[in-house]
Amino acid sequence: MVAYDDARKAFVVDTVLGAIAPAPEQKAAYSDYIGRDDSGAIAAFLDDDSTGILQVSIAKSPAGQLQMRLTNSADFPQGCFYQLTLSKVRPGPISLADIPGGIAVSTVVNSPLSSLYHSLSNVYYPLLGIDQQQGGTAVRKQQRTVDPKLEELLLDVQAGLGKLVRGADGGQAIDQGGGLHEIQTPLDELKYWADLAANPAAGVHARAAAQVLNHLDALQQPLTDLSNGSIEGDWEGALELVGRSGDALRQVWPLKMPPTGWAYPQKRMQHFLKTLGMALVMFVQRKLQGVDLWRTSFNVLKGSLIAAGQLLAAWIREASTLTSDWAVGLDAGGHLWEGPAFCDAHVAAFQDRIERIYALRDLHEELSALLSQEETSALGLGSVFAPFAQLAALHVSEFTAAAWASAEAEHERRLEVVSARISQKFKELFATVIIPNMALSTSQQSGGKDGPNASVAVAHPQQLFQELRQYSRLLSRPRIAAALQAEQSALAKQVDQYLELLQTELDKQQDGARGRAAINTGRLMHGVADSISWLMQCQAKASSVRDILQLLVGTANSTNSTESTAANGTQVGDAPATVALRSCLSTAVSLVQTIETQKKDMFTMWQDDVQSQLQDMASWKTSRLMTFDAANSHIRCHFNEALVGLLKEVRQLQALGFNVRREVLQEVETAGKFYRYGMVLHQCAHFYNNIATEMIPSQKPMMLADAVEFEKVLMNPKDATGRDITWHNASALEGYVRRLSAVAERLAMSNRRLRQWHSVLAGKVVGLMSTDLVRHKDKWVAAVKEMRDIFAGLEAQYPRARQEVWRHHWDFQLYKALEVQFRSGLENINKNLPEMEVSMVCRHHKLQYDPPLEELRMNHIAKHLNGFLGLPLRMKGVSSLSERQGFFAPIADADPAAIAMVYESCEALFASLADELRKYQDWLVLGDVAGDLEDYVEQQLCGSSNSSDDGSNIASNTGGDIGDWELNLRMLKQAAQDVDRLPNEVRIDCYKISLAPFKAYLEEMMKRLREALASSLRKKALSERQAIDDFLAAGQALLNLQATSVEEIGKAGQEARALVTRLSEVPQLRKRIEEKNRLLRQMAAATPAGAASGSSLAIIDLSGLSERWDSFVSQLQAYDSNLEVQRQGLQGQVLKKIQEFEGVITGFASRWQSIKPRGGPTGNPAVVMAQLEDAARQLADIKEEADALCKECEALGVSPPAFPQLEEVQADVMSTQASWGSYRDFLTERDNLAHKDWLSMRDQVWKIEDFLTKWEGTCSGASASDPGKAAIAVVLLQEIDAYRRCLPHLKSSMRGINWEDTHWVQLFSLLGFKAGTLTKETVTLAHFLDKADAIIAHVQQIKELDAMVSWYGVPFCGRSVLGTELGQTGIGNNTSYTSVHTAYTVLLERMSLFLMTAGTACNACLELVLLNTSQLLMSINHQQRRIFCFIRRKAAL
């Protein structure tokens, strides 16, 4: 090609060459021709200001070469078929900047009008936002860019141009198909006929066009929807359109176009068929557009591919059928189709492409089903569609065929390894399933062929054949077929045996000796129809074998390289498996043909047999309708039943597709007319003959009238004139049958109705048999009421008098049902009672039921048990027998032992309920402390608030180990889990115990416990934090203290050292606080929102504690050095204080020696005791001062002084104080006894004896090494001795029994008391003990005083004597151990002697003694107790 210096010219030449696209070998010549610019048109276009266009016109010479003409004027010469026009956008020469934007390029094809029409329709209208008119409606695709009026004008232009280019103006010959190149869609064809019909100038052509349009107009809307891709019904709608299109074309093909032509010439019809096919192809492309044909799930894509293939196949078939029918003159109206039937190659190719895609996807699906996921990945099955990834599978043309074939070849190559694995699987399938099951089926059938179900075993091989057909696509692959030669040989062997079995069955059917009895299809077939149906089944089985063999033989043929065929049908070079399969195929074909022949022969024989029997069958026409057999009282109908079988056979054979002879059909038609009457008479006769068994005995009285009327009509078959009715009299027969049918139907309906009600009643009673009387008593009441309603509803037709037998029957049935359920209820009444809900609640810290258990017991017995036991007494039935109470009463009286067991089981039930309460009683342990749970938790975990700790150890003072809380929380969590595992409800027989309130109570208690734990934990942490703060505050106060004295410095030093020793405790506390904070966080995280207050789970703030602690430690370390300077200056002062303190000790020792008591107490003991206490206080002060000096020395670093003199004096004071302390205790205990009035103590003097005995033992144990204690012991023993000497007198002569006031005055005077100071009411034992010496000195006077009272006062003499005698016998003496019985003896002897000498006075005294015997015995018992107590004390000492 020539290179041009002018880039503008090069652009023009290249543009023209690209537009005309010459052959490669001619491209250079055309380039040279255009470049020479012989006409100068190119130069003028490029440089001439007045030249605006360059037009290149292309025409073909007769030799087929392109002829080109370049001009600068716009015209379309004759013979031109293509024209290229380059026009300037603006006037002036072309510059490089105008390329390409300044040059407009356009083309004209065939004609300027056609090009303008298509440019407007396909290019400019869409650009302007207007789509073409579709079904009369403009569809806007984008925003309007032109004025509406201009848009309307443009649409009018489009419509006019369309009419012109389609040739609807009548200017083109219709019979020759002019303007077909402008008909691009089926809608264009419909528009053509619409335009022609509306053209007034068309004349007769318009009328013919109107006829065509009348038939095609029904396709307008479906075709419009099809072009839009949204036809109603989707795929089904498109398939329906194919049928409707074929029907419409059949109507328009015979139409003529005056004067001599056809409305639809063959050329136009071919073009219309092509446009229809293209529209369907475009519809399929739109439906599958955007769908990934290779990655989309096959289950999703399968339906669309099948529907698309069926749609295209239906169109191909419809078009071929249409043209084939027209070719033979069918529906052609004389308009024959010339040449072969129409076949659209593009549609066929597109259908083939759809089927190939479906086959590839189906193959892939079958392979995926046979392979495991591991095998699929290893064999690369997922990548077999990679060759199709970059290929537009739905673009079908001769130019894409090579790419498709290449992709298929690559796909096949990738499947080679998969095919090898599939071959192995098929070998396994044949070896383990197909061949063994086929052999088993054939062996079973051959072994049991004489059995009644021999034919059933044959169905199993058909399932195997169906499985082979399922894998037919895989088996048809050459590589797989070649690998299965051995398996095919084995299969051929089994198939041959199966065909032999079919042949055996067929031979058996042909055996006349066994006849039709050997054939049973199991269907509702009759006679020969059953046999022919069996043959058709056998033929279907053989056909199935034939089809699968044809598939396998075709597969085998594809693996052989030799194509020549031998005389026996096998191909030369066939493998042995192929030969065996062909032999089986030949056998199967022969068997199918044999069965077909036998089927036809059987049908012919049947027709001949039936035709020969027609004469005998017609004898029924002259016989009577029915006759009465007196022997068995039965009615016999004379309609020939053989006609019924014949009628069924004819209908069934016709349904199987057989044509029956006319003679047979006529007889069947005649029998059909009387068939209905014969069947009615047969039914009536049968009903009469079996009426006794049809009626229920208890219902017979209710149907007596209807039965009598039925018998009357049945026994008299006469017409209106009284003559007998025969089969010839059709009208009378119809009336009689109608009348008989009416009465029979009435009786039958009455019987059916009553039987139906009987069944309803039976169902209710049977239902009651299984209806628990305890649980569903209401159902029993409702059922009995419904039964009564049924009887009452039938009384209008059947009066109650006729119902009595029927009612009695059901009363007895109710009795049986009630007896069954009553006995069953007695056994399980507590279990079968209606379920009652009871709640387990906790009230007042006690677990109980709601309602309470006793209330449940009362309701259970009163409402349920007693109510159930009284049911038979209260129940009523449905008849007069049970209207009065007592009909069902024997049921309740039959088993009293069972009734007793009911009450026993009731008690056991409530015992179980009580046990259930006790089972959960232990869960209430938290409820016992529910009122003060928080205090209890704090006391157990934190300890008592009144701690005896002095606070020297802040870590131990705060107490509380974190493990205690963790342990309690773990136990609480475990308890919560245990609560969750508790059942929500417990069923005990008929009671459903709801544990929900109980569990809610437990959860509330656990929640409170958890909150209490959290609160106590936080309180403990707060107390520990407070302890740290207190420690730091105390330390800070110490550090801020300015010491000004020795005491302060010493004290500060001691406190500082104490703080240093306790420094390690603060980190321990902080660690414990952090542990508690950690546990608080865990508790807060585990606590649901709102379940606990935020304050109880808030952690303890430790921020700033580290800084305070570090500052405090550093200050404390520096504090000791500051004190050292002050300490050195104060050491001298401390030494001086020590010297002065030693002088104080010496002075105190001197004073002690002067006041120290020597020996026993002299003077008032109280004064001595006061001096001792004062000395002890002084000594304590001195000791405290000494300790202070020692502390000061320790604080100042001086050796602590020793004070031996102070220690000696302290020991002496303590010893003396201890000795006199025992004397003080003696006096205190004595005063407690003695300061009681004597009148109340005179009978309790033994307490003084016990007191003296105790202190005797104490004093006797005093050691001689302690002089002080020994002296005090001597004094005490002296006083004890004085008290003992006066005690006998206190017990005897000083008791004052029956003394007058004058006697007491005399006693007080003898003892030295001032007159008037004492009375008998105010005198105490202490007064007598203090006067012990006086009592001993005046003992004789006191005895005389007491004796005088005894002699002169009779009431007192016996008591005096007894007292004296008791004293003489030793009772009351602490040293006497005489037994009580000895005391009695001595006392009586003394009394006898005394009475003998006393005279009259003694007699009076004896009487007094006898009167006061009871008082005497009481005194003796008292003395005996004292003696025993004394003996025990002595033994203990």
Side-chain angles (χ1 to χ4, degrees):
M1 295 179 62
V2 179
Y4 301 100
D5 295 334
D6 190 349
R8 301 176 303 162
K9 187 175 183 179
F11 170 74
V12 172
V13 173
D14 292 341
T15 301
V16 174
L17 287 177
I20 64 177
E25 63 275 8
Q26 297 178 351
K27 189 172 185 179
Y30 279 100
S31 177
D32 294 340
Y33 173 75
I34 298 171
R36 289 199 306 269
D37 191 18
D38 295 337
S39 63
I42 298 177
F45 176 71
L46 294 176
D47 299 320
D48 189 359
D49 293 340
S50 61
T51 303
I53 65 171
L54 172 64
Q55 194 173 66
V56 181
S57 300
I58 307 297
K60 281 188 178 181
S61 66
Q65 295 181 345
L66 296 179
Q67 295 179 350
M68 183 183 304
R69 190 185 72 167
L70 282 72
T71 63
N72 295 116
S73 60
D75 64 342
F76 195 79
Q78 185 70 26
C80 179
F81 71 91
Y82 179 76
Q83 194 176 69
L84 176 68
T85 302
L86 285 77
S87 59
K88 296 178 181 179
V89 176
R90 64 185 63 86
I94 300 296
S95 64
L96 293 177
D98 293 329
I99 299 174
I103 301 174
V105 181
S106 60
T107 60
V108 178
V109 181
N110 293 327
S111 71
L113 287 176
S114 176
S115 298
L116 176 60
Y117 173 74
H118 291 295
S119 296
L120 288 175
S121 301
N122 300 327
V123 180
Y124 295 106
Y125 276 26
L127 290 176
L128 293 175
I130 304 172
D131 199 0
Q132 298 183 54
Q133 294 282 340
Q134 299 292 341
T137 303
V139 181
R140 182 168 302 280
K141 292 186 176 180
Q142 62 185 34
Q143 187 177 2
R144 184 193 302 272
T145 58
V146 297
D147 185 75
K149 293 183 179 180
L150 178 58
E151 179 180 334
E152 185 177 356
L153 292 175
L154 290 174
L155 290 174
D156 293 340
V157 170
Q158 180 200 26
L161 290 174
K163 291 181 180 180
L164 291 175
V165 298
R166 287 192 292 268
D169 56 354
Q172 300 186 36
I174 297 176
D175 56 347
Q176 296 183 6
L180 290 179
H181 59 278
E182 300 298 339
I183 306 297
Q184 298 180 357
T185 66
L187 291 175
D188 290 341
E189 179 70 13
L190 268 63
K191 289 179 181 179
Y192 166 78
W193 290 108
D195 295 340
L196 184 59
N199 188 0
V204 294
H205 291 176
R207 290 192 294 271
Q211 294 180 3
V212 174
L213 185 63
N214 185 39
H215 294 295
L216 297 181
D217 191 53
L219 305 179
Q220 175 73 37
Q221 188 60 44
L223 288 174
T224 302
D225 296 340
L226 187 73
S227 64
N228 293 332
S230 59
I231 188 171
E232 183 180 359
D234 207 19
W235 293 107
E236 291 78 5
L239 192 61
E240 182 181 358
L241 176 60
V242 170
R244 295 173 63 181
S245 300
D247 296 338
L249 293 179
R250 286 183 184 273
Q251 298 296 326
V252 302
W253 175 255
L255 296 179
K256 293 184 178 182
M257 180 66 70
T260 59
W262 299 98
Y264 249 105
Q266 182 169 336
K267 185 176 181 181
R268 176 172 284 278
M269 181 59 73
Q270 286 178 335
H271 185 76
F272 190 28
L273 293 175
K274 286 183 180 180
T275 58
L276 285 171
M278 184 57 66
L280 294 174
V281 170
M282 293 172 63
F283 173 75
V284 173
Q285 289 177 331
R286 286 192 185 97
K287 294 297 290 184
L288 297 179
Q289 186 178 8
V291 178
D292 191 340
L293 299 175
W294 312 111
R295 292 187 178 88
T296 303
S297 173
F298 185 60
N299 292 330
V300 177
L301 185 64
K302 183 178 181 180
S304 297
L305 292 177
I306 292 176
Q310 290 176 348
L311 176 63
L312 297 176
W315 172 246
I316 293 173
R317 184 169 57 254
E318 184 68 25
S320 177
T321 302
L322 281 174
T323 54
S324 298
D325 291 345
W326 293 338
V328 298
L330 184 62
D331 296 332
H335 187 192
L336 299 180
W337 183 273
E338 298 178 358
F342 174 78
C343 180
D344 192 338
H346 180 70
V347 177
F350 196 83
Q351 181 211 4
D352 180 68
R353 180 65 57 85
I354 293 293
E355 291 180 350
R356 287 299 303 152
I357 294 172
Y358 178 83
L360 292 174
R361 290 303 308 271
D362 189 33
L363 174 64
H364 184 271
E365 196 72 12
E366 291 180 2
L367 293 175
S368 300
L370 288 173
L371 297 175
S372 63
Q373 292 183 355
E374 293 78 7
E375 291 174 329
T376 300
S377 301
L379 298 176
L381 185 60
S383 62
V384 295
F385 290 135
F388 301 99
Q390 303 300 324
L391 185 65
L394 297 181
H395 293 176
V396 180
S397 67
E398 58 182 342
F399 302 100
T400 61
W404 175 262
S406 176
E408 278 196 307
E410 177 63 19
H411 175 264
E412 288 294 329
R413 187 188 65 77
R414 295 189 179 207
L415 284 180
E416 289 179 357
V417 61
V418 181
S419 299
R421 178 59 184 143
I422 292 299
S423 299
Q424 296 177 1
K425 286 188 171 288
F426 274 130
K427 285 179 177 290
E428 296 174 0
L429 179 66
F430 273 89
T432 59
V433 179
I434 303 295
I435 304 303
N437 282 279
M438 181 68 76
L440 180 62
S441 299
T442 53
S443 62
Q444 287 181 349
Q445 185 179 8
S446 61
K449 59 186 178 181
D450 293 333
N453 296 324
S455 60
V456 178
V458 184
H460 189 64
Q462 295 300 322
Q463 297 175 357
L464 300 176
F465 293 146
Q466 183 63 30
E467 187 169 0
L468 289 174
R469 186 175 287 104
Q470 177 184 355
Y471 300 115
S472 60
R473 195 180 302 278
L474 292 175
L475 292 174
S476 63
R477 298 183 63 80
R479 291 182 178 274
I480 297 177
L484 297 177
Q485 290 295 316
E487 286 72 15
Q488 288 181 353
S489 298
L491 178 64
K493 180 180 179 181
Q494 298 301 326
V495 170
D496 187 61
Q497 293 181 4
Y498 176 65
L499 292 174
E500 289 181 0
L501 291 175
L502 288 180
Q503 184 64 50
T504 303
E505 290 294 328
L506 187 60
D507 295 341
K508 175 182 175 181
Q509 193 274 339
Q510 290 177 342
D511 189 357
R514 309 189 70 159
R516 299 175 185 174
I519 301 174
N520 182 14
T521 62
R523 299 180 181 179
L524 298 177
M525 291 293 182
H526 190 273
V528 69
D530 194 16
S531 300
I532 293 178
S533 176
W534 183 89
L535 289 175
M536 294 177 72
Q537 292 179 13
C538 195
Q539 186 180 15
K541 296 174 184 177
S543 299
S544 176
V545 176
R546 179 196 61 193
D547 295 341
I548 193 65
L549 289 175
Q550 287 176 347
L551 172 65
L552 295 176
V553 168
T555 301
N557 288 340
S558 65
T559 63
N560 297 329
S561 58
T562 303
E563 297 297 336
S564 59
T565 304
N568 60 355
T570 61
Q571 296 181 355
V572 178
D574 279 346
T578 304
V579 174
L581 290 175
R582 286 186 178 276
S583 176
C584 291
L585 177 60
S586 176
T587 303
V589 171
S590 175
L591 181 59
V592 171
Q593 294 174 352
T594 302
I595 294 174
E596 182 67 24
T597 302
Q598 184 176 352
K599 184 174 61 174
K600 293 180 180 180
D601 294 344
M602 184 177 293
F603 177 68
T604 303
M605 291 175 59
W606 173 80
Q607 288 196 109
D608 295 341
D609 185 39
V610 169
Q611 193 168 1
S612 64
Q613 298 177 8
L614 289 179
Q615 186 66 29
D616 297 335
M617 290 183 181
S619 60
W620 61 277
K621 300 177 184 179
T622 59
S623 63
R624 298 180 59 186
L625 297 181
M626 291 179 292
T627 57
F628 180 74
D629 189 354
N632 53 14
S633 300
H634 282 183
I635 294 292
R636 180 172 177 271
C637 179
H638 292 287
F639 184 76
N640 193 344
E641 295 184 0
L643 291 174
V644 178
L646 177 62
L647 183 61
K648 292 180 180 179
E649 284 182 340
V650 170
R651 290 176 179 174
Q652 292 170 359
L653 289 173
Q654 287 178 334
L656 294 175
F658 291 92
N659 295 322
V660 184
R661 293 176 186 175
R662 185 180 302 274
E663 296 83 358
V664 179
L665 290 177
Q666 290 177 350
E667 186 64 28
V668 169
E669 183 179 359
T670 303
K673 294 179 181 179
F674 294 95
Y675 173 76
R676 182 172 60 88
Y677 304 135
M679 290 299 100
V680 171
L681 293 177
H682 267 297
Q683 292 173 2
C684 292
H686 181 270
F687 181 64
Y688 179 83
N689 296 335
N690 297 279
I691 193 171
T693 58
E694 291 289 333
M695 291 183 179
I696 298 174
S698 61
Q699 293 180 341
K700 287 182 178 181
M702 303 169 66
M703 295 181 288
L704 181 60
D706 293 336
V708 171
E709 184 178 1
F710 170 67
E711 185 178 16
K712 180 180 179 181
V713 175
L714 182 65
M715 294 298 183
N716 296 286
K718 298 181 181 298
D719 57 10
T721 61
R723 292 179 298 179
D724 291 338
I725 300 175
T726 62
W727 294 101
H728 288 289
N729 193 351
S731 60
L733 178 61
E734 183 177 0
Y736 173 74
V737 169
R738 189 184 307 113
R739 189 168 63 254
L740 181 62
S741 298
V743 295
E745 181 63 24
R746 185 162 57 250
L747 178 60
M749 184 179 297
S750 179
N751 186 46
R752 285 195 301 270
R753 183 184 181 191
L754 290 176
R755 290 183 70 90
Q756 182 180 3
W757 283 118
H758 195 83
S759 299
V760 171
L761 294 174
K764 292 185 179 300
V765 174
V766 171
L768 291 178
M769 283 280 191
S770 59
T771 300
D772 191 349
L773 185 60
V774 178
R775 186 182 296 270
H776 303 295
K777 183 171 63 176
D778 55 339
K779 292 185 178 180
W780 270 78
V781 174
V784 175
K785 184 179 181 301
E786 290 175 0
M787 293 177 69
R788 294 196 193 101
D789 293 341
I790 291 173
F791 286 112
L794 294 174
E795 287 183 0
Q797 186 175 359
Y798 307 103
R800 177 156 185 168
R802 296 184 183 181
Q803 294 182 9
E804 280 303 318
V805 178
W806 195 31
R807 287 173 176 258
H808 293 168
H809 169 79
W810 286 114
D811 261 346
F812 286 105
Q813 307 310 312
L814 283 174
Y815 187 96
K816 298 174 184 176
L818 180 62
E819 185 177 16
V820 169
Q821 281 302 318
F822 187 79
R823 291 185 178 180
S824 175
L826 289 178
E827 296 175 358
N828 303 298
I829 183 171
N830 291 319
K831 296 181 180 179
N832 295 339
L833 280 173
E835 189 175 70
M836 290 171 279
E837 295 187 358
V838 180
S839 299
M840 187 180 292
V841 298
C842 182
R843 292 175 180 169
H844 309 298
H845 307 299
K846 183 178 179 182
L847 197 60
Q848 57 184 314
Y849 289 123
D850 184 20
L853 188 62
E854 288 303 321
E855 182 178 343
L856 290 175
R857 185 195 306 272
M858 293 173 60
N859 290 338
H860 186 87
I861 295 175
K863 181 178 178 181
H864 300 293
L865 296 189
N866 295 342
F868 174 77
L869 295 176
L871 274 178
L873 303 177
R874 300 189 303 271
M875 183 173 175
K876 294 182 180 180
V878 295
S879 73
S880 58
L881 291 177
S882 59
E883 286 182 352
R884 297 182 302 275
Q885 294 183 356
F887 180 77
F888 300 100
I891 297 176
D893 301 335
D895 195 356
I899 296 177
M901 288 297 295
V902 168
Y903 288 98
E904 292 179 4
S905 62
C906 175
E907 294 301 322
L909 168 61
F910 283 94
S912 300
L913 290 175
D915 292 340
E916 193 68 21
L917 280 179
R918 287 190 289 272
K919 179 180 177 182
Y920 298 101
Q921 189 66 39
D922 293 341
W923 283 95
L924 299 183
V925 63
L926 284 179
D928 297 338
V929 292
D932 53 352
L933 184 60
E934 292 77 8
D935 297 340
Y936 179 79
V937 170
E938 187 171 354
Q939 179 181 6
Q940 295 299 319
L941 295 181
C942 303
S944 175
S945 59
N946 300 324
S947 176
S948 63
D949 199 336
D950 60 357
S952 62
N953 190 329
I954 59 175
S956 62
N957 188 35
T958 54
D961 186 8
I962 189 65
D964 296 337
W965 279 275
E966 291 177 344
L967 176 61
N968 280 277
L969 287 174
R970 284 196 301 270
M971 295 178 66
L972 182 60
K973 181 179 180 181
Q974 181 63 38
Q977 294 175 356
D978 294 340
V979 170
D980 291 338
R981 284 192 289 268
L982 289 178
N984 292 326
E985 57 185 30
V986 176
R987 284 179 169 81
I988 301 179
D989 289 347
C990 59
Y991 286 98
K992 182 175 75 173
I993 305 172
S994 174
L995 272 66
F998 173 60
K999 293 177 68 175
Y1001 172 79
L1002 294 181
E1003 291 171 357
E1004 178 64 23
M1005 288 295 102
M1006 291 181 182
K1007 177 183 174 183
R1008 290 186 56 188
L1009 178 58
R1010 182 181 180 86
E1011 292 176 354
L1013 289 173
S1015 177
S1016 65
L1017 180 63
R1018 192 170 189 278
K1019 285 182 180 179
K1020 180 55 65 179
L1022 284 173
S1023 66
E1024 292 172 348
R1025 172 59 193 266
Q1026 186 63 38
I1028 295 176
D1029 291 340
D1030 294 344
F1031 179 80
L1032 292 177
Q1036 195 65 38
L1038 176 64
L1039 296 177
N1040 295 333
L1041 179 66
Q1042 297 295 329
T1044 59
S1045 63
V1046 174
E1047 292 81 359
E1048 292 178 353
I1049 291 175
K1051 182 179 179 181
Q1054 291 178 353
E1055 291 180 355
R1057 282 190 293 275
L1059 288 175
V1060 171
T1061 58
R1062 293 165 59 192
L1063 287 178
S1064 60
E1065 299 174 4
V1066 175
Q1068 296 177 8
L1069 280 178
R1070 181 174 180 177
K1071 180 179 179 182
R1072 288 161 63 175
I1073 294 174
E1074 291 175 349
E1075 290 176 347
K1076 291 179 175 62
N1077 279 342
R1078 173 184 56 79
L1079 188 56
L1080 285 172
R1081 291 190 191 96
Q1082 294 177 359
M1083 293 176 68
T1087 301
S1093 61
S1095 60
S1096 63
L1097 297 177
I1099 62 174
I1100 307 305
D1101 186 14
L1102 296 179
S1103 60
L1105 184 62
S1106 299
E1107 292 78 3
R1108 290 180 60 194
W1109 175 249
D1110 295 339
S1111 175
F1112 172 75
V1113 171
S1114 61
Q1115 291 179 14
L1116 184 63
Q1117 292 174 353
Y1119 184 74
D1120 192 55
S1121 61
N1122 295 333
L1123 289 178
E1124 184 64 27
V1125 177
Q1126 299 179 16
R1127 187 184 298 112
Q1128 293 177 359
L1130 296 176
Q1131 287 179 354
Q1133 298 179 11
V1134 173
L1135 295 175
K1136 184 178 179 180
K1137 285 184 178 182
I1138 293 173
Q1139 294 177 358
E1140 293 176 353
F1141 183 69
E1142 289 178 349
V1144 172
I1145 294 174
T1146 303
F1148 178 76
S1150 177
R1151 286 195 304 274
W1152 166 250
Q1153 292 299 326
S1154 63
I1155 65 174
K1156 177 181 178 182
R1158 310 292 180 181
T1162 58
N1164 190 355
V1167 175
V1168 177
M1169 296 298 297
Q1171 292 177 350
L1172 290 177
E1173 291 178 357
D1174 182 61
R1177 283 194 298 272
Q1178 294 178 10
L1179 180 62
D1181 295 338
I1182 295 172
K1183 183 64 177 176
E1184 183 178 354
E1185 187 176 356
D1187 293 338
L1189 285 173
C1190 291
K1191 290 183 179 179
E1192 290 181 1
C1193 291
E1194 185 179 357
L1196 296 175
V1198 178
S1199 300
F1203 301 107
Q1205 186 178 8
L1206 178 61
E1207 294 176 356
E1208 293 176 358
V1209 172
Q1210 182 180 7
D1212 190 16
V1213 171
M1214 297 302 293
S1215 175
T1216 303
Q1217 193 175 18
S1219 300
W1220 283 86
S1222 61
Y1223 185 71
R1224 181 183 63 247
D1225 295 340
F1226 173 79
L1227 294 178
T1228 301
E1229 189 173 354
R1230 186 202 69 175
D1231 293 342
N1232 290 336
L1233 292 173
H1235 286 100
K1236 297 181 180 179
D1237 63 285
W1238 171 246
L1239 296 179
S1240 61
M1241 280 295 296
R1242 59 187 177 185
D1243 292 331
Q1244 302 180 23
V1245 183
W1246 57 272
K1247 293 183 178 180
I1248 299 298
E1249 294 179 347
D1250 293 344
F1251 161 72
L1252 296 177
T1253 303
K1254 168 188 171 185
W1255 279 99
E1256 277 182 348
T1258 303
C1259 294
S1260 62
S1263 175
S1265 60
D1266 190 351
K1269 290 185 178 181
I1272 296 300
V1274 171
V1275 173
L1276 290 176
L1277 289 173
Q1278 291 176 356
E1279 290 192 15
I1280 290 170
D1281 182 64
Y1283 292 157
R1284 282 196 180 279
R1285 283 187 287 113
C1286 73
L1287 276 179
H1289 307 298
L1290 290 175
K1291 293 189 294 182
S1292 59
S1293 58
M1294 294 180 65
R1295 288 172 56 84
I1297 302 301
N1298 294 327
W1299 282 20
E1300 299 292 338
D1301 293 339
T1302 57
H1303 302 139
W1304 286 104
V1305 171
Q1306 294 178 19
L1307 176 64
F1308 295 155
S1309 177
L1310 289 174
L1311 297 179
F1313 292 107
K1314 293 182 179 181
T1317 58
L1318 292 176
T1319 64
K1320 65 178 181 179
E1321 289 84 6
T1322 59
V1323 67
T1324 64
L1325 178 63
H1327 292 105
F1328 293 150
L1329 293 178
D1330 291 339
K1331 299 294 183 177
D1333 295 335
I1335 293 173
I1336 295 172
H1338 300 85
V1339 62
Q1340 188 62 34
Q1341 291 88 337
I1342 295 172
K1343 288 182 179 181
E1344 292 175 355
L1345 179 62
D1346 184 63
M1348 182 182 61
V1349 173
S1350 299
W1351 287 108
Y1352 293 102
V1354 176
F1356 307 101
C1357 64
R1359 190 171 298 177
S1360 300
V1361 172
L1362 291 175
T1364 303
E1365 294 302 323
L1366 287 173
Q1368 293 177 358
T1369 58
I1371 297 177
N1373 193 340
N1374 292 333
T1375 59
S1376 177
Y1377 301 96
T1378 307
S1379 66
V1380 177
H1381 297 290
T1382 305
Y1384 289 160
T1385 305
V1386 174
L1387 178 61
L1388 294 176
E1389 291 176 354
R1390 297 282 180 91
M1391 288 178 64
S1392 300
L1393 180 61
F1394 178 77
L1395 292 174
M1396 291 173 64
T1397 60
T1400 305
C1402 289
N1403 290 333
C1405 184
L1406 179 59
E1407 293 177 359
L1408 180 62
V1409 170
L1410 294 176
L1411 291 174
N1412 296 328
T1413 302
S1414 59
Q1415 185 175 359
L1416 174 64
L1417 294 176
M1418 290 176 61
S1419 299
I1420 294 173
N1421 290 334
H1422 175 69
Q1423 294 297 332
Q1424 185 181 9
R1425 285 196 300 272
R1426 291 181 57 202
I1427 292 171
F1428 289 159
C1429 292
F1430 180 76
I1431 293 173
R1432 283 198 300 271
R1433 286 195 296 271
K1434 288 295 183 180
L1437 293 175

